[in-house]
């Protein structure tokens, strides 16, 4: 029994000694990820391209929608004089066109979102090593997102500008690919 008690006491001593050793004090740097994607050259390039794709899709779909509305008005005028079987066929065909337009709009939206997600992922792949290098140079062991900071009395620990400058050198542009695969279900923006 005394052997068990001695082992328990030794375990307690070792765990207390381990807790008494000073922990490495945190050396914190702050990063504003939103600003990186908003103000870096690649981030701005991606946003511009995605917006252009979205505007083009909107214009195309609006034109198709307007043509479909005109066809719908014509069909409404004709249904009163059409035979019931012909009327049913034309209404069904028109509804199929409406559904097709809605499906194309949803596919285009998903395609643009997938392209944006893929572009952001490519940018983050370039950003990762840059961030690691800056953190190493600063001797930091903790990176916080600027959105998590409640109060600070200095901005000397904010590495956002330095990271943006290095990212601009490493990746000044990026070609957004509309044929990008869709993002994984859990990672959708």
């Amino acid at each position: 029994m005394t052997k068990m008690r001695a082992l328990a006491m030794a375990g307690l001593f070792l765990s207390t000694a381990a807790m008494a050793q000073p922990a490495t004090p945190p050396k914190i740097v702050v990063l504003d990820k939103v600003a990186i994607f908003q103000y870096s050259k690649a981030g701005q390039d991606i946003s511009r391209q995605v917006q252009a794709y979205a505007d083009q899709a909107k214009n195309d779909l609006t034109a198709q929608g307007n043509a479909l509305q005109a066809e719908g008005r014509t069909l409404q005028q004709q249904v009163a004089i059409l035979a019931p079987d012909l009327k049913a066929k034309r209404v069904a065909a028109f509804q199929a066109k409406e559904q097709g337009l809605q499906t194309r709009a949803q596919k285009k939206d998903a395609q643009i979102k997938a392209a944006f997600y893929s572009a952001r992922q490519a940018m983050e792949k370039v950003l990762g090593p840059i961030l690691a290098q800056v953190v190493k140079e600063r001797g930091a062991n903790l990176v916080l997102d600027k959105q998590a900071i409640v109060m600070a009395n200095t901005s000397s620990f904010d590495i956002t500008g330095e990271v943006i400058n290095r990212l601009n050198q490493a990746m000044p542009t990026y070609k957004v690919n509309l044929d990008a695969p869709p993002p994984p279900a859990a990672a959708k923006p």
Side-chain angles (χ1 to χ4, degrees), residues 40-151:
S40 68
K41 290 178 182 180
Q44 291 174 349
D45 190 33
I46 290 167
S47 293
R48 180 189 51 75
Q49 290 176 63
V50 168
Q51 186 62 50
Y53 288 138
D55 290 346
Q56 182 63 44
K58 180 182 175 187
N59 291 340
D60 292 346
L61 293 169
T62 298
Q64 293 174 22
N66 290 340
L68 197 57
Q69 284 178 345
E71 185 178 333
R73 285 190 295 273
T74 302
L75 181 60
Q76 280 181 333
Q77 293 170 352
Q78 295 174 347
V79 292
I81 59 172
L82 292 175
D85 60 332
L86 187 56
K87 175 182 171 182
K89 285 180 184 178
R90 287 207 179 157
V91 168
F94 180 75
Q95 288 173 339
K97 286 181 182 180
E98 283 182 319
Q99 182 61 40
L101 180 61
Q102 185 176 14
T103 300
R104 284 191 301 279
Q106 290 169 346
K107 283 182 180 179
K108 185 54 89 172
D109 183 58
Q111 183 183 33
I112 291 170
K113 285 179 180 176
F116 180 69
Y117 174 80
S118 178
R120 291 276 303 246
Q121 290 297 104
M123 193 170 155
E124 286 187 18
K125 282 182 182 177
V126 174
L127 182 61
I130 292 170
L131 180 58
Q133 183 63 35
V134 172
V135 167
K136 182 179 177 184
E137 289 170 6
R138 294 277 186 113
N141 56 14
L142 181 63
V143 179
L144 293 177
D145 189 305
K146 192 169 187 173
Q147 312 310 321
I149 305 299
V150 176
M151 185 183 92

